Structure formats: C-alpha cells, structure tokens
Amino acid sequence: QGNIDIDLSAARLNCLFAVTQTLEESRIFKSVSLLDVCQNKEGTFWHKNLLTQQQTDSLCEYYQVDAILSLEQLVIYDIVENFLTTDEDYYAYLQAFQTSVWSLQYADGRKHQDFTLVDTLIWEGRAYTRENAIQQLPDRKTALLDMSTYVGEKSALALLPLWETTDRYIYEDASEAMQKG
C-alpha cells in the first residue's frame, strides 16, 4: 500500500487515560488527576522542553499535588506485510511499535526523572487466500489506538512498586553473632 495517513490524534489521550486509570486503581496514591490540555507549547519532535520549575510549582500548588508526570513524546509506527508460505497458504501480520517518553517533575525542586518505554505488538493472520489472511488483522487505526492504551498501562505499572512473595528461613545457632542477628 505504501504510506497511508491514519488519524492518531486520540492516541496521546488513550495513553494518558490508561496511565490515570491504572494509577488510580493501584490505590497507592492519595489522588491522581489528569490534565488533558498540553502545558508545554514549546519544543519540537527532535527537541523536548520540560516544564520550568516555576510552571511545575504553579501547577502543583494549583492542583495540590506533589509531582507531575508528563508524557513528553509518543512515537507510533507500524508495518503490514503478507506473503505466500511454504505450506501454500498466506501469512499476514500487523506489527506496531510505540515509544513513550515521560518526565516526572517534583514541586519541591528535586531533580526530575525521565524514562522511556518501548514496546511492540504483533497481530497475525493466516489463510488460503491473501485477502482472507489480511482480513484477519485488526483495523490499523484501532490496533494503534489500542496499543496506545496498552502502552499507558505499562507505563503506569513501571512506576508502581512490585511486590514479590518469598520464603524466609530462620535458623537457630548458639553463636553470639547469630543471636544478635
């Protein structure tokens, strides 16, 4: 097909809504709010400008929060291919790639933290005709928007503590060092 245009203007909101929902459901934070209006009008695709400390302090005071998590960049692209296999059927796939760049800025002036998450999802179809193999794939726009939601969830989970259950063994020993322990 070559290059095609797909309106993905909702992708950033899908990602942000998913982050907000995942953080709220974790019940770790007292409150989580979403500000869906871009606060930083400067910067380009290649050069990102973080909020100034004054902007961060002002937003934190106004919304009564301790920190601001900002989605700085969301890069989305995909590949759709199909081919005849050695089994004489057709294999088609849609592979989506997303990169999200985040910054966490604090009201108290602590050094901000940046992190980037990269993920790939693949959908496959297989049939005896090329058309049927391609029809098994999801709509490209829907797949890419769904992936934005998935990336938002994964981004939020990266911020949450991970609890792991493990067994601990206690040994008895008459030595003084073990008794202190």
Side-chain angles (χ1 to χ4, degrees):
Q1 287 181 322
N3 289 338
I4 62 169
D5 291 328
I6 300 174
D7 179 16
L8 295 176
S9 57
R12 68 181 175 85
L13 288 177
N14 283 15
C15 186
L16 291 172
F17 285 133
V19 165
T20 304
Q21 182 178 4
T22 304
L23 292 176
E24 282 177 344
E25 289 173 356
S26 74
R27 299 191 187 273
I28 290 178
F29 301 101
K30 185 177 177 181
S31 68
V32 178
S33 301
L34 172 65
L35 185 59
D36 61 349
V37 177
C38 183
Q39 296 299 301
N40 194 350
K41 307 285 189 214
E42 298 176 13
T44 65
F45 180 80
W46 304 109
H47 179 71
K48 289 162 277 316
N49 290 333
L50 296 177
L51 296 173
T52 66
Q53 188 61 49
Q54 182 180 5
Q55 289 172 308
T56 301
D57 291 342
S58 175
L59 287 169
C60 286
E61 183 178 329
Y62 185 78
Y63 292 101
Q64 306 218 342
V65 296
D66 298 323
I68 296 175
L69 176 65
S70 301
L71 176 60
E72 301 295 334
Q73 187 178 53
L74 185 64
V75 180
I76 304 168
Y77 65 97
D78 68 332
I79 297 171
V80 176
E81 288 191 351
N82 64 79
F83 53 85
L84 183 63
T85 69
T86 56
D87 294 331
E88 299 296 323
D89 64 349
Y90 287 89
Y91 174 78
Y93 70 91
L94 165 60
Q95 189 169 10
F97 306 88
Q98 284 197 13
T99 301
S100 58
V101 180
W102 301 86
S103 69
L104 185 58
Q105 294 173 268
Y106 300 95
D108 60 10
R110 282 183 281 166
K111 187 175 183 324
H112 75 275
Q113 298 173 324
D114 297 319
F115 65 98
T116 302
L117 291 164
V118 179
D119 213 330
T120 304
L121 289 178
I122 188 166
W123 293 265
E124 300 175 313
R126 212 167 176 157
Y128 286 106
T129 66
R130 183 183 314 268
E131 293 76 23
N132 288 346
I134 293 171
Q135 285 178 352
Q136 291 179 15
L137 302 177
D139 173 66
R140 287 173 89 168
K141 179 178 180 176
T142 303
L144 295 174
L145 291 176
D146 287 350
M147 185 166 181
S148 296
T149 301
Y150 171 77
V151 165
E153 291 168 0
K154 296 288 274 189
S155 298
L157 291 173
L159 294 171
L160 299 175
L162 177 63
W163 305 106
E164 185 175 310
T165 303
T166 184
D167 293 330
R168 302 284 184 196
Y169 300 98
I170 299 175
Y171 298 95
E172 291 187 33
D173 189 343
S175 75
E176 185 180 335
M178 187 63 125
Q179 293 298 325
K180 287 180 182 178

